[in-house]
Amino acid sequence: MKRKTYRKIISTTLIALFGAATQAHTAAGTSAGKAEEQVEETLKSLSTREKIAQLFCFAYGDFQTGKDLEIRKKAVRMGIGGIIIDDGDIEATSRQLNEFMDDAKTPLFIALDGEWGAGMRYYSVPSFPRQMQLGALSDESLIYRMGELIGKECRDLGFNVNFAPVVDINNNPGNPVINTRSFGEDRDKVTRFSIAYMLGMQSAGVAGSSKHFPGHGDTNVDSHKGLPVIEFDRTRLDSLELYPFRKHIEAGADMIMVGHLSVPALDPTGTPSSISRPMLTDLLRNEMGFKGVICTDALTMKGLVNGSDLTQDEIPLASFMAGADILLMSKDMMASMKIIRKALRKGVITMEQLDEKVRRILLLKAKLGLFDEDRRISLDGIRERSIRNENLELMDEIAEKTMTLVSGNPSKPVAGQRSVYLAYMDTSAQEGSFEGIGGYPGLNPEKTADMFLETLREYDGSVEFMKYDGTPEQLESVRSYDRIIVGYHNYNIRKQNVYDIPEEVMNFMYSLPEDRLTSVYFGNPYILDRIEWRRLGTFIIAYQNTTFNAKAAAKVVQNVFPAQGVLPVSAGGLPCGYYFTE
């Protein structure tokens, strides 16, 4: 497989996509002149309390009832700026979002943390692959298309902001929180692919949120649980962590999400980035020239709460003063609004500062056309409508182009061969397993194994099936087949989940004849660092337990088409960008 023209193709594609997306983004929203008028007119109509409320965005899930729901309804009536949905039922959540929108004086940001689409929060909706699998592509045109389809999906389900893409460069295999959420460790690929994703969403009239500034990729601490400290000097930060953010700003990013990170080279006090004026105002706003909306990550995360001396009620004011515009998911928004109002009365902050932030928020709302359109969500057939054929077709195409051959050469089945498919699955390692609507299950080892077997048999109806039971009798029976296909279906995504395959399982596999063995791993490519993969015959990385990947991987095994993916990270002694070739 030749990739000599890779960079030339990529740069040409991005130029074309950028022009098209910019025009579509403008057309999908409101003209600049009209948007400015809407902003100033709305700003004049808002009370001080309503202006402060515009800064806040609360989380809503359909499990919130009683007092929790009443607080959120009150916040909407007070003029809250936005809502981010939590995991839940698509119909119940949409019904409540419509009520919120009906009660809102000023249009709401309805936001989704949907890095792989609405399926990240609505489990009945099929999900696109995680970004690391997308990093196995050699061309970002499918990423742009995916962003466009995710944007259309978002708009149909009522969302106008998607807190994606992740632009962190995952060059630390031990990263417990970014990992497969990143396009990989190649700085330029991460930048190109994430920009294509962002522009695709913009073309559909949805704002992205490039995250997690100033860069969460090379950490070994999850900021949900503690404060990561990034010890690199400014030269390294400029060349790597900050690089994608600069390019996103140049490409027209609407919003940048700030993580909770201590970066002494950028703020010697060690203050978390989300409340650091040197990082938000001096660097991001002034030096890097970002004119869009700065949004915090959730203000209840332990990295921030434990990394500062502030109470959780005081944190939003500190973030405001540091330079943030949207204060996401504060613990007690009512208490924090009062603290900001008190600071305004005392002159700690000024009305000019408040107006500047609200103006940026309103301007993005106007650009997205929120003042011009009825954004109520149609509930008619919403479950069926959310399963979009064009999405499913693209998921299949992405799967077919990301299967990554690490070693060996798949061959077509030969008449008279005895073939067996041995499935190893650790069902205790499932995460997010669900049945799904329309026969599109989630990350489910057994469903993936069923689809893998079904597809294998389309090209060789004689393939026999065994589920690993670890007995000596099974080992001996497997050894007698002419062709042995092993599928590893345990859900292996992040280090904190079940990551290793048990030693006794691997010893079983190592004993099988390599010249007759094909191994397919439905998980994280970092597994190559933890097993002796060279002893496992032909080896294919299939990234995730999905039916889309199962179909594609089986076709590669049966040599229906060649593997086209490249490693998005270095692993197992192989470099980033590697693909097997003789």
Side-chain angles (χ1 to χ4, degrees):
M1 194 180 301
K2 302 294 184 182
R3 290 183 172 83
K4 293 182 179 179
T5 59
Y6 172 67
R7 292 190 182 277
K8 183 177 179 181
I9 293 170
I10 294 302
S11 59
T12 304
T13 304
L14 256 186
I15 290 169
L17 292 180
F18 179 44
T22 303
Q23 293 173 5
H25 190 36
T26 303
T30 303
S31 67
K34 184 178 179 182
E36 292 285 356
E37 290 177 12
Q38 291 173 332
V39 168
E40 296 307 319
E41 193 175 299
T42 304
L43 192 61
K44 289 176 185 177
S45 74
L46 298 178
S47 67
T48 298
R49 187 177 75 167
E50 288 169 335
K51 289 178 182 178
I52 293 171
Q54 278 293 300
L55 308 175
F56 286 80
C57 183
F58 66 71
Y60 170 74
D62 61 23
F63 55 87
Q64 290 165 337
T65 58
K67 184 179 178 181
D68 285 342
L69 182 56
E70 288 306 313
I71 290 172
R72 283 156 177 77
K73 288 180 177 180
K74 181 180 178 181
V76 169
R77 293 191 295 269
M78 288 174 60
I80 198 81
I83 299 168
I84 175 174
I85 70 143
D86 211 328
D87 300 353
D89 175 76
I90 189 171
E91 190 169 355
T93 301
S94 299
R95 185 177 295 110
Q96 184 57 60
L97 289 177
N98 279 343
E99 291 184 26
F100 286 143
M101 286 187 273
D102 287 343
D103 290 342
K105 171 184 172 181
T106 304
L108 295 162
F109 282 136
I110 304 295
L112 168 77
D113 193 2
E115 295 163 20
W116 40 94
M120 187 169 171
R121 297 302 170 198
Y122 291 147
Y123 287 164
S124 59
V125 179
S127 292
F128 283 94
R130 295 192 179 212
Q131 289 186 194
M132 187 172 284
Q133 180 176 344
L134 298 171
L137 292 167
S138 295
D139 178 309
E140 71 263 45
S141 61
L142 292 183
I143 307 295
Y144 179 87
R145 176 64 174 154
M146 183 195 75
E148 181 182 39
L149 292 182
I150 288 175
K152 289 179 178 179
E153 178 179 77
C154 283
R155 284 180 65 90
D156 183 53
L157 299 178
F159 303 107
N160 44 63
V161 173
N162 186 12
F163 290 128
V166 170
V167 305
D168 303 311
I169 301 164
N170 199 84
N171 50 5
N172 185 337
N175 193 316
V177 64
I178 302 303
N179 204 287
T180 56
R181 297 166 63 197
S182 166
F183 287 108
E185 70 179 55
D186 182 289
R187 181 195 77 167
D188 295 323
K189 175 177 272 193
V190 168
T191 301
R192 292 192 303 270
F193 281 30
S194 57
I195 287 175
Y197 184 178
M198 176 187 77
L199 295 180
M201 285 194 296
Q202 286 183 354
S203 74
V206 171
S209 183
S210 310
K211 63 186 185 184
H212 305 81
F213 184 85
H216 205 324
D218 198 350
T219 66
N220 56 12
V221 174
D222 180 350
S223 53
H224 293 87
K225 301 177 180 179
L227 180 64
V229 179
I230 299 176
E231 300 282 7
F232 307 117
D233 62 23
R234 182 60 194 267
T235 299
R236 149 68 189 253
L237 293 169
D238 279 332
S239 67
L240 199 66
E241 280 77 10
L242 294 173
Y243 179 85
F245 292 101
R246 292 187 189 278
K247 296 301 181 183
H248 273 244
I249 292 169
E250 291 174 11
D254 293 309
M255 186 184 295
I256 289 179
M257 177 179 281
V258 180
H260 308 305
L261 306 160
S262 174
V263 192
L266 302 178
D267 185 341
T269 66
T271 300
S273 47
S274 46
I275 55 173
S276 168
R277 186 171 180 83
M279 281 192 257
L280 299 195
T281 297
D282 298 344
L283 175 59
L284 181 56
R285 189 68 79 193
N286 296 336
E287 182 183 328
M288 296 174 71
F290 181 55
K291 300 185 186 305
V293 173
I294 297 176
C295 177
T296 69
D297 207 339
L299 295 177
T300 53
M301 290 167 61
K302 298 294 185 183
L304 173 58
V305 174
N306 296 343
S308 76
D309 297 327
L310 303 170
T311 68
Q312 290 202 51
D313 292 344
E314 294 169 333
I315 282 173
L317 173 60
S319 192
F320 176 109
M321 294 175 68
D325 301 314
I326 293 179
L327 309 171
L328 185 66
M329 297 170 63
S330 59
K331 183 180 173 83
D332 186 338
M333 56 191 159
M334 300 301 184
S336 295
M337 286 181 200
K338 290 178 181 177
I339 289 173
I340 291 177
R341 191 165 188 180
K342 185 177 180 180
L344 190 63
R345 287 198 303 268
K346 288 187 171 184
V348 176
I349 58 176
T350 67
M351 184 59 74
E352 288 74 21
Q353 288 174 309
L354 177 60
D355 283 350
E356 183 181 14
K357 293 174 186 297
V358 176
R359 188 174 279 112
R360 274 193 288 265
I361 290 168
L362 295 176
L363 183 59
L364 180 52
K365 290 181 177 182
K367 283 173 61 179
L368 293 171
L370 304 192
F371 291 97
D372 301 324
E373 299 178 23
D374 176 12
R375 289 306 181 96
R376 294 185 94 260
I377 306 161
S378 172
L379 298 177
D380 293 341
I382 190 169
R383 292 182 185 277
E384 295 74 21
R385 195 175 74 239
S386 66
I387 299 174
R388 305 163 66 94
N389 287 334
E390 57 185 348
N391 289 22
L392 300 177
E393 289 169 3
L394 184 58
M395 290 171 193
D396 271 328
E397 185 176 0
I398 289 172
E400 291 183 357
K401 292 185 177 179
T402 52
M403 297 299 100
T404 303
L405 181 64
V406 172
S407 64
N409 289 292
S411 57
K412 292 183 181 295
V414 176
Q417 271 188 336
R418 293 181 65 240
S419 299
V420 64
Y421 158 45
L422 175 63
Y424 167 71
M425 58 188 76
D426 179 0
T427 54
S428 68
Q430 293 181 41
E431 177 186 298
S433 176
F434 60 97
E435 191 62 34
I437 285 185
Y440 301 101
L443 304 164
N444 185 315
E446 292 188 358
K447 294 294 183 181
T448 308
D450 288 345
M451 180 60 76
F452 188 62
L453 176 62
E454 179 183 324
T455 309
L456 287 174
R457 285 177 171 170
E458 286 182 22
Y459 304 96
D460 179 1
S462 66
V463 174
E464 297 182 38
F465 175 72
M466 293 185 192
K467 184 174 179 180
Y468 174 79
D469 64 15
T471 63
E473 291 79 14
Q474 187 183 65
L475 176 61
E476 292 309 312
S477 66
V478 168
R479 206 186 302 279
S480 67
Y481 284 84
D482 302 309
R483 195 172 186 223
I484 306 164
I485 302 163
V486 178
Y488 298 86
H489 296 283
N490 57 316
Y491 181 52
N492 241 339
I493 288 294
R494 300 191 203 163
K495 188 177 179 181
Q496 73 266 37
N497 297 118
V498 176
Y499 198 89
D500 288 320
I501 302 173
E503 184 177 2
E504 62 272 18
V505 176
M506 293 316 306
N507 286 337
F508 179 112
M509 303 306 177
Y510 294 147
S511 74
L512 297 175
E514 293 178 37
D515 60 337
R516 290 182 271 147
L517 179 60
T518 296
S519 304
V520 183
Y521 185 74
F522 291 89
N524 193 316
Y526 286 129
I527 193 65
L528 297 174
D529 288 326
R530 307 171 79 90
I531 60 174
E532 298 177 47
W533 58 270
R534 290 176 177 83
R535 297 175 62 185
L536 297 173
T538 295
F539 198 99
I540 298 164
I541 297 289
Y543 296 96
Q544 292 179 244
N545 271 305
T546 70
T547 52
F548 305 99
N549 289 352
K551 286 186 288 184
K555 290 177 182 179
V556 170
V557 169
Q558 301 290 46
N559 204 18
V560 178
F561 50 70
Q564 301 176 60
V566 302
L567 282 180
V569 292
S570 53
L574 302 174
C576 176
Y578 173 88
Y579 61 98
F580 179 79
T581 183
E582 289 187 304

